[in-house]
Amino acid sequence: MFKIKHVFILSFTVIALSIAGCKSRFEKIRLSNDVAKKYQEAIKLYNKKDYSKALILFEDLSQKYRGRTEAEDLNYYYAYTLFRLKDYTTARYQFKYFADTYPTSKNAEECRYMGAYCYYLDSPEYTLDQENTYKAIDALQLFINLYPKSERVAQASQYITDLRAKLELKAYTNARLYYDLGGYDISNYKSSVISLKNAEIDFPDIKYAEEMDLLIIKSQYAYAKNSFPYRQEDRYTEAIGYANEFIENHPESKYLEEAKTLKTECENGIANAKELMTLEANQIAKYKAMVEKDNSKDTSANIKNKTPNP
């Protein structure tokens, strides 16, 4: 039992010393002024996929190799090390720096592409702020413009399509949110119409076109329905216009019958609004006539009371 325990302790000690030896070796290289040896070690660590240690050496070497011939390859590996560590924000800067600094390099095209790709990977969920998404589209489009014959153009174009789809979904859901909140404030329905129409201007080929056009009708209909009667005719009429556009633009849509039903509801709404306005006008006229009659009686009584006895 003692022998086994002793062997175990000895083995553990050997492993610990080996690890300590590795660490001390790395530290010696890191602190060394032999930049050539340090560069070779950084490449070895990169190829072994020990990117964290490789990054430490590359960051140190990037200052010492500035202006030297070897700096080109160093910056190439440096950018990729950041990329492998999923630090896409810093990696895209380094890839762009490489492409701008070494435009004639055999790796310039690749690095320009990778910089744009890092923006793509940094594009957040559609519910969040989309600043990086717009920047990614710009960077990818710049790559396509600079290297129109590149074999990477097809993939870059697909990434742009993916990013635009994300922006379209955000635009649609934002407008939908206004509609869903309409019950709290009817002006949200009008905001929904405006947001939907703006989204269609920004994305003329948006895949949610039918849903959005229907939602425009529904939003305008709800806006009219919840308005004061004297406002309803104009607002229902606007909704009917949207319904007619939908029927013309989407004759095969699965929402066609719903659009037609909404149009009928708007027409009925106009009729009801006119009826209410007529009824209200009649009531006001009767009230005015009654007031005038009462005033006339009061005037006659006052005149009679003021007439002197003969």
Side-chain angles (χ1 to χ4, degrees):
M1 176 65 72
F2 175 78
K3 187 175 182 180
I4 294 173
K5 184 177 182 181
H6 179 72
V7 171
F8 174 79
I9 293 172
L10 182 61
S11 300
F12 178 82
T13 303
V14 171
I15 293 171
L17 288 172
S18 298
I19 294 172
C22 289
K23 285 185 177 179
S24 63
R25 179 176 177 277
F26 173 76
E27 285 300 314
K28 286 179 181 179
I29 293 173
R30 185 179 71 83
L31 297 171
S32 172
N33 290 323
D34 189 341
V35 292
K37 186 175 181 180
K38 188 179 291 188
Y39 179 75
Q40 291 173 0
E41 184 65 19
I43 298 299
K44 286 180 182 178
L45 289 168
Y46 178 88
N47 291 331
K48 289 179 180 179
K49 299 183 179 180
D50 193 346
Y51 302 120
S52 296
K53 286 183 179 178
L55 180 63
I56 293 172
L57 298 183
F58 282 133
E59 286 181 336
D60 182 53
L61 288 166
S62 65
Q63 300 299 321
K64 296 176 180 178
Y65 269 55
R66 189 180 299 275
R68 294 175 56 170
T69 306
E70 298 91 336
E72 181 178 330
D73 286 342
L74 172 69
N75 284 310
Y76 177 78
Y77 277 105
Y78 183 27
Y80 262 106
T81 301
L82 292 163
F83 176 78
R84 301 300 182 193
L85 289 169
K86 298 184 179 180
D87 182 359
Y88 301 128
T89 301
T90 312
R92 71 180 180 236
Y93 171 81
Q94 291 300 329
F95 280 123
K96 182 179 183 300
Y97 172 81
F98 184 98
D100 291 342
T101 307
Y102 310 104
T104 60
S105 169
K106 67 182 191 307
N107 296 318
E109 176 191 322
E110 177 186 353
C111 286
R112 182 72 67 183
Y113 172 80
M114 289 301 298
Y117 181 53
C118 285
Y119 263 122
Y120 172 80
L121 293 175
D122 252 356
S123 174
E125 291 293 321
Y126 77 92
T127 54
L128 303 176
D129 180 76
Q130 294 300 302
E131 181 181 0
N132 269 0
T133 301
Y134 284 106
K135 289 182 177 179
I137 291 173
D138 290 342
L140 289 163
Q141 189 59 58
L142 175 62
F143 172 80
I144 293 171
N145 294 343
L146 291 174
Y147 304 99
K149 297 182 179 180
S150 171
E151 61 182 14
R152 297 181 175 91
V153 165
Q155 187 61 67
S157 298
Q158 183 58 54
Y159 287 147
I160 290 176
T161 299
D162 295 343
L163 294 167
R164 286 189 178 279
K166 185 185 295 188
L167 294 175
E168 289 175 4
L169 179 58
K170 184 175 181 65
Y172 172 65
T173 53
N174 282 351
R176 179 85 203 192
L177 180 61
Y178 279 120
Y179 176 77
D180 293 337
L181 292 173
Y184 297 98
D185 182 351
I186 69 165
S187 65
N188 284 323
Y189 292 126
K190 188 62 178 176
S191 296
S192 176
V193 172
I194 294 170
S195 295
L196 288 161
K197 292 174 76 66
N198 286 340
E200 290 184 333
I201 292 172
D202 292 337
F203 306 101
D205 298 321
I206 191 167
K207 66 179 180 179
Y208 307 103
E210 288 185 27
E211 292 92 334
M212 293 172 74
D213 285 345
L214 180 70
L215 193 55
I216 287 174
I217 306 170
K218 293 172 73 173
S219 297
Q220 185 63 33
Y221 168 74
Y223 185 48
K225 184 178 180 180
N226 290 280
S227 300
F228 290 112
Y230 72 93
R231 295 280 193 182
Q232 288 183 337
E233 183 175 357
D234 289 342
R235 293 173 180 179
Y236 275 129
T237 300
E238 191 171 346
I240 290 171
Y242 294 140
N244 287 334
E245 288 178 8
F246 185 97
I247 294 168
E248 181 179 351
N249 295 332
H250 310 290
E252 305 297 328
S253 172
K254 62 181 179 180
Y255 305 115
L256 185 62
E257 291 305 315
E258 187 174 357
K260 290 180 178 179
T261 299
L262 285 166
K263 178 182 177 181
T264 301
E265 291 294 326
C266 289
E267 291 169 343
N268 293 337
I270 291 174
N272 292 334
K274 286 182 175 179
E275 186 177 336
L276 285 172
M277 292 297 291
T278 300
L279 180 61
E280 183 178 349
N282 290 337
Q283 289 176 337
I284 291 172
K286 287 181 180 179
Y287 176 75
K288 286 182 176 180
M290 182 179 68
V291 170
E292 289 176 1
K293 185 176 181 181
D294 289 343
N295 288 339
S296 178
K297 286 181 179 179
D298 290 342
T299 302
S300 297
N302 290 336
I303 292 173
K304 185 176 180 180
N305 292 333
K306 289 179 180 181
T307 303
N309 291 326

